[in-house]
C-alpha cells in the first residue's frame, strides 16, 4: 500500500542542502588531509566525529536491539508496531557511524586490516567487528521489508527461518558493542577525569544504552508520526515510558555505588567544575526523567512523553561528550573546538541518513507493517499479502 | 631483560644534538617554526619531530635552575598504544623493549594517540594518506648492535643505553651519591607500569611537564574487560535463547491445538 504522495517543501530542501554541503568538504579531506578541514591535532586526535557520530550514534541506535529483545524474546506483543521503525533507526545509526568513519579514519580503505590483523585485547578491535557484524545483521533484519515490497517469497522465507537466531545475534553483538565503547575508555586511566573513569564503564555504557533505546523509539515514532501522519498508539509509547525509569534507576544506582565504593563520592561536591557537568548529566538526563515518566499524567500524554524522552537522550549525549571529549585531558599546549567543516560532516551524514530513512518509510512497508509477518515463531507465509 | 635509556638532567647541556641526529637518522625534514619566546624548538613533537628538548627556568629549593629534558616515546613496558591498536600495528619488541609501528597494518584510527598517557604518537594531519609517526627507539640500529642515533650523538653522556635493570641501579647510585643535585625519583621506573626510558632530574618532574602517573599499567582494566567479554556474550546468548524458549513454551501451553502449533527450531 503506497500512501498518498505529499510534497515536502522546506524540510527536504534544508536536508538536501545540508547533505550536499558535506560533499565538497569530504573532497577537501581527501585532497588536502584531515588538517585542512578539521581542528583535530596531535593534542586532540579524536573530536566531534568520534564523540557525536560514533559514541552517540551507537548509543542512540540502541532502540533496535532493546525493542527486538522486548518483542521477539520477551514476547511483549504490544510493542510490535514499533519494532521495524526501531530497527530501521538502528540501521541508520550504524550507517551514520560508518559514513563518519570514512571521513575520520586516516586510511579507511585499509579498514579490512581489522579482519586479518587481530589484536583481541583492543576494545576498538571489538568495536570495529561489532560495527561490521551488526550492520550486516540489521540489514538482514530489515530485508523482509524489502522482500515484501518486491514479493520475493523465497528469500523472505529464508530470513523468516533464521529470524530468531538473527535477532539473538543482533542482541549479543550490540550488547557487546555498547560495552566495548565503554571499554575503549578504560585505556585512559590517567587522562579521563576520575569522576567518570571507573572499571565498570562498560556496564554503565550498556545500561544507559538500554535506557535510551526506548526513548529513541518514542522520539522517532513521534517525529515520523508528525511527518507521515500515522501515529503510533499512545498506549505503546507510554508503555515504553514506563520501562525507561527502571533502567535509568539501575544506571543511577550503579553510578553512585561505584563512586561510593571507590570512596570518591565527595568529588560530586568538590571537583569543580567537573561536578557541574556530572550533575547536569545525572539530574537532567537521569533523575528528572525518572520522576517525569512516573507521573501518569505526563506518561499518558504525547507531548509529555516526547519531552521526557528528549531529556533522556540529551542526558546520554551529554554523558558521551563528557567522557569522550570534554573531560579527557588534552595534550599541553593544544586547544580544540570543532571546525565548521567538522560540523558540516556530522550534519551532512545525518542528513543523508534521514533522507534514506524517509525514502525507506515511503517505499517499504515499515510503519504500516501489520505486525503478523514475523510474529510468533518466525514464520512469514503471510508476507506476500502486503 | 630489555633495553632502556637513562636520561640524566644534570649531564644534559641542552645542545639538541639528539634532536638533530634523530631528524637525520629518520630522514625527517626540518620544521618551520615561529619564535614565541620559549627555547623549545620545535615547540612539541610532530609527525616530523620524534624528539625535542624542553627548556624550563625552575625555582627549586631556593635555587634557580636552567633545566632541560629530552622528550620522546617512553617505550612503555605495558604500552597503552599497543593495547589500543585494533590491528596490532604498534608492538613492543620483547628483546629490545622498543615499541615499534608497522604502517602496513595501520588504518589511521588514532586510538593510539588518544590512549598514550605520555601524549607521544603524532599524525600526518596535512597528508591525504596519513600515517602515525613516533620515536622508534631506533629499533633497526638496536637490532644491528648500534645505539640509538640520539644516544650516539649525545656529547656528555646524558643519554645512556643499557639493560633497564642496570640503568635503574645506576640511576639510584647517582641520586644517592649527590642527593642535593637530584630529586629523589627515577621517572619511568614505575610510571604507568614502567617504561624503558628513564629519567633523573635536578628539579621536580611536574615542573618539566612530565605527567604525574600512578603505577597501574593502563592496559590492565581493558584487558580484564576484553577477557570477560566472550563469557559475557555467551551468557547473553544463553539468556536470550532461554527466555525465548520460556515465552514460547508459555504461549504454546496457552494455545494448545493452535494451528501455528509446531515451532521452528529454537535459536541455537
Ligand atoms: S609512550 Fe606512548 S607511544 Fe610510547 S610506548 Fe608508551 S604508550 Fe606507546
Ligand atoms: S592509528 Fe594505526 S597504529 Fe594507531 S591505533 Fe589506529 S590502527 Fe593502530
Ligand atoms: S631513539 Fe631514535 S627515533 Fe627515538 S628519539 Fe632517539 S634517535 Fe629519535
Amino acid at each position: 500500500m503506497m500512501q498518498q504522495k505529499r510534497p515536502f517543501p522546506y524540510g527536504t530542501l534544508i536536508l538536501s542542502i545540508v547533505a550536499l554541503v558535506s560533499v565538497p568538504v569530504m573532497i577537501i579531506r581527501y585532497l588536502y588531509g584531515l588538517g585542512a578541514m578539521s581542528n583535530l591535532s596531535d593534542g586532540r586526535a579524536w573530536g566531534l566525529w568520534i564523540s557525536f557520530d560514533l559514541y552517540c550514534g551507537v548509543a542512540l541506535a540502541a532502540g533496535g536491539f532493546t525493542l527486538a529483545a522486548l518483542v521477539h524474546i520477551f514476547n511483549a506483543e504490544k510493542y510490535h508496531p514499533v519494532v521495524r521503525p526501531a530497527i530501521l533507526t538502528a540501521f541508520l545509526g550504524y550507517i551514520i557511524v560508518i559514513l563518519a568513519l570514512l571521513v575520520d579514519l586516516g586510511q579507511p580503505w585499509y579498514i579490512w586490516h581489522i579482519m586479518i590483523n587481530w589484536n583481541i585485547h583492543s576494545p576498538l578491535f571489538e568495536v570495529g567487528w561489532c560495527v561490521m557484524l551488526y550492520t550486516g545483521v540489521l540489514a538482514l533484519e530489515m530485508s523482509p521489508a524489502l522482500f515484501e515490497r518486491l514479493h520475493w517469497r523465497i528469500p523472505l522465507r529464508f530470513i523468516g527461518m533464521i529470524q530468531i537466531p538473527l535477532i539473538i545475534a543482533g542482541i549479543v553483538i550490540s550488547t557487546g558493542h555498547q560495552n566495548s565503547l565503554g571499554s575503549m575508555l578504560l585505556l585512559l586511566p590517567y587522562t579521563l577525569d576520575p569522576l567518570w573513569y571507573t572499571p565498570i564503564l562498560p556496564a554503565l555504557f550498556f545500561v544507559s544504552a538500554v535506557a535510551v533505546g526506548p526513548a529513541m523509539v518514542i522520539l522517532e515514532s513521534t517525529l515520523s508520526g508528525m511527518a507521515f501522519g500515522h501515529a503510533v498508539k499512545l498506549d505503546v509509547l507510554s508503555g515504553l515510558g514506563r520501562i525507561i525509569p527502571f533502567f535509568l534507576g539501575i544506571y543511577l544506582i550503579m553510578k553512585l555505588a561505584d563512586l561510593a565504593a571507590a570512596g570518591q563520592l565527595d568529588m560530586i561536591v568538590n571537583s569543580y567544575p567537573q561536578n557541574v557537568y556530572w550533575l547536569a548529566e545525572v539530574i537532567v538526563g537521569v533523575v528528572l526523567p525518572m520522576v517525569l515518566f512516573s507521573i501518569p499524567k505526563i506518561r499518558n500524554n504525547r507531548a509529555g512523553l516526547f519531552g521526557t524522552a528528549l531529556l533522556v537522550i540529551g542526558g546520554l549525549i551529554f554523558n558521551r561528550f563528557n567522557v569522550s571529549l570534554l573531560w579527557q585531558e588534552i595534550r599541553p599546549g593544544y586547544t580544540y573546538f570543532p571546525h565548521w567543516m567538522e560540523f558540516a560532516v556530522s550534519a551532512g551524514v545525518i542528513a543523508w541518513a534521514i533522507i534514506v530513512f524517509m525514502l525507506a518509510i515511503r517505499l517499504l512497508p515499515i510503519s504500516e507493517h501489520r505486525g503478523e509477518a514475523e510474529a510468533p515463531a518466525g514464520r512469514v507465509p503471510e508476507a506476500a499479502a502486503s | 631483560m630489555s633495553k632502556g635509556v637513562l636520561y640524566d638532567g644534570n649531564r644534559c647541556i641542552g645542545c639538541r644534538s639528539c634532536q638533530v641526529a634523530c631528524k637525520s637518522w629518520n630522514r625527517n625534514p626540518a620544521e618551520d617554526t615561529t619564535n614565541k619566546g620559549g627555547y623549545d624548538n620545535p615547540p612539541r613533537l610532530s609527525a616530523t619531530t620524534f624528539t625535542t628538548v624542553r627548556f624550563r627556568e625552575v625555582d627549586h629549593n631556593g635555587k634557580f635552575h636552567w633545566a632541560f629534558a629530552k622528550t620522546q616515546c617512553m617505550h612503555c613496558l605495558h604500552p597503552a598504544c599497543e593495547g589500543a591498536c585494533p590491528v596490532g600495528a604498534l608492538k613492543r619488541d620483547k628483546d629490545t623493549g622498543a615499541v615499534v609501528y608497522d604502517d602496513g597494518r595501520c588504518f589511521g584510527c588514532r586510538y593510539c594517540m588518544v590512549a598514550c598517557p605520555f601524549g607521544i604518537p603524532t599524525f600526518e594531519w596535512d597528508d591525504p594518506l596519513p600515517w602515525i609517526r613516533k620515536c622508534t627507539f631506533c629499533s633497526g640500529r638496536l637490532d644491528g648492535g648500534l645505539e640509538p642515533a640520539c644516544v650516539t650523538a649525545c656529547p656528555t653522556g646524558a643519554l645512556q643505553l643499557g639493560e633497564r635493570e642496570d640503568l635503574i641501579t645506576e640511576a639510584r647510585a647517582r641520586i644517592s651519591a649527590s642527593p642535593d643535585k637530584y630529586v629523589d625519583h627515577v621517572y619511568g621506573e614505575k610510571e604507568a607500569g614502567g617504561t624503558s626510558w628513564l629519567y633523573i632530574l635536578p628539579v621536580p618532574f611536574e615542573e618539566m611537564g612530565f605527567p604525574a602517573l600512578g603505577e597501574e599499567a593502563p592496559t590492565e582494566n581493558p584487558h580484564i574487560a576484553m577477557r570477560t567479554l566472550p563469557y559475557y556474550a555467551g551468557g547473553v546468548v544463553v539468556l536470550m535463547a532461554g527466555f525465548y524458549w520460556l515465552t514460547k513454551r508459555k504461549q504454546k501451553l496457552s494455545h494448545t491445538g493452535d494451528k501455528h502449533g509446531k515451532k521452528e527450531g529454537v535459536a541455537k
Side-chain angles (χ1 to χ4, degrees), chain B residues 81 84-87 89-90 101 105-113 132:
Chain B
C81 59
C85 182
V87 289
L90 285 155
Y101 170 69
R105 292 184 163 214
C106 175
F107 61 99
C109 68
R110 306 191 295 285
Y111 189 19
C112 50
M113 303 176 68
I132 293 288

Side-chain angles (χ1 to χ4, degrees), chain B residues 62-76:
Chain B
K63 249 176 77 186
F64 172 79
H65 291 266
W66 179 216
F68 319 116
K70 177 184 183 296
T71 57
Q72 76 296 307
C73 172
M74 300 291 286
H75 298 279
C76 306

Side-chain angles (χ1 to χ4, degrees), chain B residues 17-18 44 56 132 168 224 248 260:
Chain B
S17 300
C18 51
R44 46 175 93 122
R56 297 283 185 277
I132 293 288
I168 291 172
I224 295 171
K248 284 300 118 176
H260 286 303

Side-chain angles (χ1 to χ4, degrees), chain B residues 18-259:
Chain B
C18 51
Q19 269 182 237
V20 175
C22 178
K23 282 256 182 200
S24 65
W25 176 256
N26 291 295
R27 299 214 179 88
N28 277 335
E31 256 182 81
D32 235 348
T33 54
T34 33
N35 187 343
K36 290 195 177 136
Y39 278 81
D40 306 17
N41 186 30
R44 46 175 93 122
L45 303 179
S46 75
T48 54
T49 303
F50 298 168
T51 183
T52 61
V53 180
R54 273 189 205 138
F55 297 73
R56 297 283 185 277
E57 296 167 12
V58 180
D59 190 359
H60 176 57
N61 280 348
K63 249 176 77 186
F64 172 79
H65 291 266
W66 179 216
F68 319 116
K70 177 184 183 296
T71 57
Q72 76 296 307
C73 172
M74 300 291 286
H75 298 279
C76 306
L77 304 187
H78 306 280
C81 59
E82 181 188 49
C85 182
V87 289
L90 285 155
K91 279 220 178 87
R92 179 171 187 272
D93 182 321
K94 298 242 166 13
D95 301 327
T96 59
V99 178
V100 285
Y101 170 69
D102 174 3
D103 64 11
R105 292 184 163 214
C106 175
F107 61 99
C109 68
R110 306 191 295 285
Y111 189 19
C112 50
M113 303 176 68
V114 175
C116 171
F118 299 99
I120 299 300
T122 52
F123 191 65
E124 297 175 324
W125 293 102
D126 299 321
D127 197 322
L129 311 176
W131 301 114
I132 293 288
R133 310 291 316 269
K134 75 167 190 68
C135 158
T136 61
F137 207 156
C138 287
S139 63
R141 290 173 62 100
L142 287 185
D143 293 342
L146 293 171
E147 294 179 322
C150 54
V151 176
T152 306
C154 180
T156 63
L159 290 170
Q160 187 180 333
L161 178 76
E163 290 298 328
R164 184 172 181 271
E165 306 306 314
D166 303 343
L167 291 176
I168 291 172
T169 319
E170 166 74 20
R172 289 249 180 71
R174 284 188 207 171
I175 293 174
S176 49
S178 20
D180 49 324
K181 281 175 70 187
Y182 293 97
V183 292
D184 187 14
H185 184 66
V186 182
Y187 190 92
E189 183 187 359
K190 302 265 170 65
E191 270 76 11
T195 61
S196 301
W197 284 57
L198 304 160
Y199 288 79
I200 45 176
L201 293 185
V203 297
F205 286 88
E206 310 84 74
E207 299 278 1
M208 298 306 292
F210 287 82
L213 304 177
E215 298 186 3
E216 181 196 323
T219 46
E220 217 162 275
N221 282 329
H223 278 187
I224 295 171
M226 297 316 286
R227 264 204 305 274
T228 45
L229 193 79
Y231 303 103
Y232 180 82
V236 176
V237 175
V238 171
L239 233 110
M240 289 297 136
F243 271 116
Y244 178 70
W245 181 78
L246 268 179
T247 48
K248 284 300 118 176
R249 209 173 104 87
K250 229 193 292 168
Q251 221 173 35
K252 194 172 173 181
L253 290 179
S254 57
H255 287 268
T256 29
D258 182 326
K259 59 178 160 41

Side-chain angles (χ1 to χ4, degrees), chain A residues 29-36 38 40-47 49-50 69 72-75 77 103-111 113-126 160-161 164-165 168 171-172 175-176 179-180 183-191 197-199 202 206 328-329 331-334 375-379 381-382, chain B residues 44-47 79-88 90 103-131 191-193 209 211-219 221-223 225-227 229 232-234 236-237 239-241 243-245 247-248 251 260 262-268:
Chain A
R29 182 254 172 271
Y30 283 110
L31 287 182
Y32 302 107
L34 281 160
S38 75
L40 296 172
S41 62
D42 291 331
R44 181 61 88 206
W46 281 357
W49 299 325
I50 295 293
H72 294 293
I73 305 298
F74 297 99
N75 209 34
E77 265 308 301
V103 186
D104 184 85
L105 291 178
Q107 313 249 1
W109 36 86
Y110 287 139
I111 182 75
H113 281 180
I114 212 167
M115 298 190 202
I116 52 163
N117 300 315
W118 289 25
N119 176 11
I120 53 163
H121 291 307
S122 165
L124 189 58
F125 172 78
E126 159 82 9
M161 264 155 54
I164 290 301
I168 293 181
I171 294 170
V172 176
T175 309
N179 272 290
S180 298
S183 309
M184 275 169 69
L185 299 170
L186 291 182
L187 263 165
L188 313 177
Y190 299 117
T191 39
Y197 185 89
T198 146
F206 172 68
Q328 256 180 38
E329 235 166 73
R331 290 187 195 172
Y334 288 91
R379 45 184 54 245
E382 315 88 327
Chain B
R44 46 175 93 122
L45 303 179
S46 75
C81 59
E82 181 188 49
C85 182
V87 289
L90 285 155
D103 64 11
R105 292 184 163 214
C106 175
F107 61 99
C109 68
R110 306 191 295 285
Y111 189 19
C112 50
M113 303 176 68
V114 175
C116 171
F118 299 99
I120 299 300
T122 52
F123 191 65
E124 297 175 324
W125 293 102
D126 299 321
D127 197 322
L129 311 176
W131 301 114
E191 270 76 11
L213 304 177
E215 298 186 3
E216 181 196 323
T219 46
N221 282 329
H223 278 187
M226 297 316 286
R227 264 204 305 274
L229 193 79
Y232 180 82
V236 176
V237 175
L239 233 110
M240 289 297 136
F243 271 116
Y244 178 70
W245 181 78
T247 48
K248 284 300 118 176
Q251 221 173 35
H260 286 303
K262 61 177 185 319
K263 297 285 166 288
E264 254 125 85
V266 173
K268 254 291 131 65

Side-chain angles (χ1 to χ4, degrees), chain A residues 75-105:
Chain A
N75 209 34
E77 265 308 301
K78 173 172 145 192
Y79 301 105
H80 203 274
V82 288
V83 175
R84 269 200 185 176
I87 290 181
L88 180 61
T89 319
F91 187 47
L92 291 170
Y94 276 75
I95 298 285
I96 289 177
V97 171
I98 290 173
L99 288 177
L101 286 183
L102 286 182
V103 186
D104 184 85
L105 291 178

